Amino acid sequence: MDVDIGNALGTTPGLTEETLERLDDRVASAHERIARGMDADEFGYASLTLPETTDPEAIREATDAFETPSAVLTVGIGGSALGAGTLSDALPSDVDAYVLDNVDPDDVKRLLGSLPLDDVVINVVSRSGTTAETLANFLVVRDAMDRAGVDWTERTLVTTGEEGNLRRLADRHDLPALDVPEGVPGRFSMLSTVGLAVAALQGYDVEAVLAGGRDGMDALSGSLFESPAYAYGATTYALAERGALTNAVMPYAESLETFAEWFAQLWAESLGKDGLGQTPARALGATDQHSQLQLYRAGPRDKLVTVIRPTERAEVPIPETDLEGLSYLGGSSLGDLLDAEFDATEASLAEAGVPNVRIEVDRVDERALGELCYGMEAACVLYGELANVPTFTQPAVEWGKRAARGLLGGGEFPEADAVAEKRELRIERG
């Protein structure tokens, strides 16, 4: 993974090299703190050791309990699903992957009605085993399999903590089960059992994903000028401090669209604390440069745009044509056109003084994805250290979970009482 921060310099808001050089002393101190946390296996910091601590053999053993299915359905939410989805949507496989990460009844009904339930592996993921959305969806899936005459116990893999409802269910029915790693928040768990079980079921090279993560670990150093991940984390932090409070992440590869969703959770849940943070926005190049780029270039000067691309792509030639005004396209390729769109976006933003950062990977494969996601996690942790926010907690998320559980009768939670206090100003159609 390479990072180019040149277009973040001299913009509005923007930085100078002198600013970054001054910040580099703080990066060195933050790196020391991060390294200590990794060495001590502290909560949160343990996430950055996953490329070394994750056991691919345990993942293989659990997933080998199933013959190659036609599809795998992950039942989870947030970090329990987005890491696996990032890999599944980025890489080709003969095994289709689906996710139930919402409780929209129309969508759940449609999806279950379209799946061959007798040849699907259900991958249910919840650290606590109490996540309302996940357990509700799992109960619905289990019921659908029962009604279809499918033994769900023969088609279910559980990934959960050492205790809780799912652990007891796995023990009772002797289901294949994987442990969620200790000390790793869900949004940082891609390079663990949480993100890699589906990869194994789809036939991906799990070891290569972890090797990419180790590449990212090896690239960490005490200077932002020597570490791509820290260069990104320090630059985004410094720009946010100067008013770039939105980070629009814009991959120029359809295969990385779900990666942008994964990034959005990582960035928002980790850094949105104490009135601080940087709002992640998702875009897709070249599609959204025909729409959102208008706002990024000509709207309020409160944005950073992160553009991401692989430098190696499949070659799809554009045929020659004699159509007037289109002959310039003939003889080139779709990859050439996409690269030109990428370069034009960078130049358009730079000319308007809008800060943008380029991230490049060699290609979209297992190793590159492991390195890219590890790099973004390390960047996020560094940003949190520099901003002095508790990166690994999510109190606002937990508040909402308690409120929802209380409303459903899952216990006495004072957060649920706030629902009755909602202020209303209704405007009804006549």
Side-chain angles (χ1 to χ4, degrees):
M1 181 183 84
D2 296 324
V3 173
D4 181 355
I5 59 176
N7 276 354
L9 305 177
T11 54
T12 306
L15 308 172
T16 64
E17 289 190 51
E18 291 75 17
T19 302
L20 293 175
E21 287 168 0
R22 291 194 300 271
L23 183 60
D24 206 33
D25 288 338
R26 294 181 59 198
V27 170
S29 297
H31 174 64
E32 290 177 3
R33 172 68 185 97
I34 293 168
R36 288 196 304 273
M38 292 169 65
D39 290 342
D41 211 29
E42 291 183 40
F43 179 79
Y45 299 98
S47 309
L48 297 181
T49 67
L50 285 175
E52 292 182 342
T53 60
T54 297
D55 180 7
E57 186 56 39
I59 296 171
R60 265 194 301 271
E61 184 177 340
T63 55
D64 281 349
F66 308 96
E67 293 184 5
T68 303
S70 63
V72 56
L73 173 62
T74 295
V75 182
I77 195 168
S80 296
L82 280 170
T86 293
L87 292 171
S88 296
D89 291 346
L91 302 170
S93 174
D94 292 331
V95 179
D96 295 329
Y98 303 91
V99 174
L100 276 182
D101 61 352
N102 206 338
V103 287
D104 180 334
D106 291 331
D107 187 62
V108 172
K109 184 176 181 179
R110 176 198 58 76
L111 178 59
L112 292 180
S114 69
L115 291 177
L117 295 176
D118 60 345
D119 195 27
V120 173
V121 171
I122 307 303
N123 172 47
V124 56
V125 187
S126 171
R127 174 192 298 278
S128 66
T130 62
T131 307
E133 298 92 339
T134 298
L135 293 185
N137 273 335
F138 178 56
L139 292 173
V140 170
V141 172
R142 194 172 73 171
D143 181 65
M145 297 182 88
D146 283 340
R147 287 187 284 104
V150 178
D151 185 350
W152 65 269
T153 66
E154 298 294 323
R155 312 296 309 166
T156 300
L157 168 67
V158 169
T159 304
T160 191
E162 294 181 357
E163 299 179 352
N165 297 325
L166 282 180
R167 177 61 63 180
R168 289 191 291 273
L169 181 78
D171 291 343
R172 184 185 312 137
H173 295 282
D174 196 26
L175 305 177
L178 288 166
D179 296 331
V180 173
E182 289 295 321
V184 178
R187 58 191 176 277
F188 287 90
S189 65
M190 177 188 175
L191 296 174
S192 76
T193 53
V194 175
L196 296 179
V198 173
L201 286 165
Q202 289 191 274
Y204 300 145
D205 187 342
V206 171
E207 283 87 350
V209 179
L210 292 171
R214 288 192 294 275
D215 291 340
M217 287 183 68
D218 293 342
L220 298 182
S221 76
S223 172
L224 72 91
F225 297 105
E226 298 173 0
S227 169
Y230 284 171
Y232 186 71
T235 299
T236 50
Y237 160 75
L239 285 169
E241 288 290 291
R242 287 156 177 78
L245 297 178
T246 297
N247 185 352
V249 175
M250 195 171 188
Y252 275 70
E254 291 272 350
S255 58
L256 294 178
E257 188 169 14
T258 303
F259 162 82
E261 294 185 38
W262 171 87
F263 176 90
Q265 184 197 9
L266 175 74
W267 218 246
E269 193 171 354
S270 299
L271 303 175
K273 316 280 169 64
D274 303 326
L276 302 173
Q278 190 179 53
T279 301
R282 304 196 298 269
L284 180 66
T287 302
D288 288 321
Q289 74 185 66
H290 291 269
S291 54
Q292 294 181 36
L293 184 60
Q294 176 65 38
L295 173 67
Y296 302 154
R297 189 180 193 275
R301 295 307 177 93
D302 59 354
K303 297 172 186 66
L304 156 70
V305 180
T306 300
V307 287
I308 306 170
R309 72 171 172 186
T311 57
E312 297 178 18
R313 309 177 185 273
E315 281 298 317
V316 178
I318 300 173
E320 300 282 356
T321 180
D322 58 2
L323 290 174
E324 184 177 353
L326 295 180
S327 59
Y328 72 95
L329 293 172
S332 60
S333 69
L334 292 181
D336 294 334
L337 177 56
L338 193 58
D339 283 340
E341 300 278 14
F342 179 96
D343 293 339
T345 294
E346 280 191 320
S348 171
L349 293 167
E351 195 276 337
V354 177
N356 57 97
V357 173
R358 175 193 294 201
I359 297 176
E360 290 182 324
V361 295
D362 293 337
R363 64 195 67 83
V364 179
D365 62 10
E366 289 98 331
R367 188 159 188 154
L369 286 166
E371 183 181 8
L372 176 63
C373 291
Y374 184 92
M376 293 299 98
E377 291 179 3
C380 182
V381 174
L382 177 75
Y383 185 131
E385 295 290 331
L386 296 174
N388 195 30
V389 298
T391 308
F392 304 115
T393 64
Q394 52 282 332
V397 173
E398 297 303 327
W399 194 100
K401 288 181 179 180
R402 291 190 296 271
R405 190 171 179 183
L407 290 172
L408 292 169
E412 294 293 330
F413 295 94
E415 291 85 353
D417 297 337
V419 176
E421 300 169 4
K422 177 189 177 300
R423 181 174 179 175
E424 291 188 355
L425 178 58
R426 290 181 176 272
I427 293 85
E428 298 180 356
R429 64 182 181 272

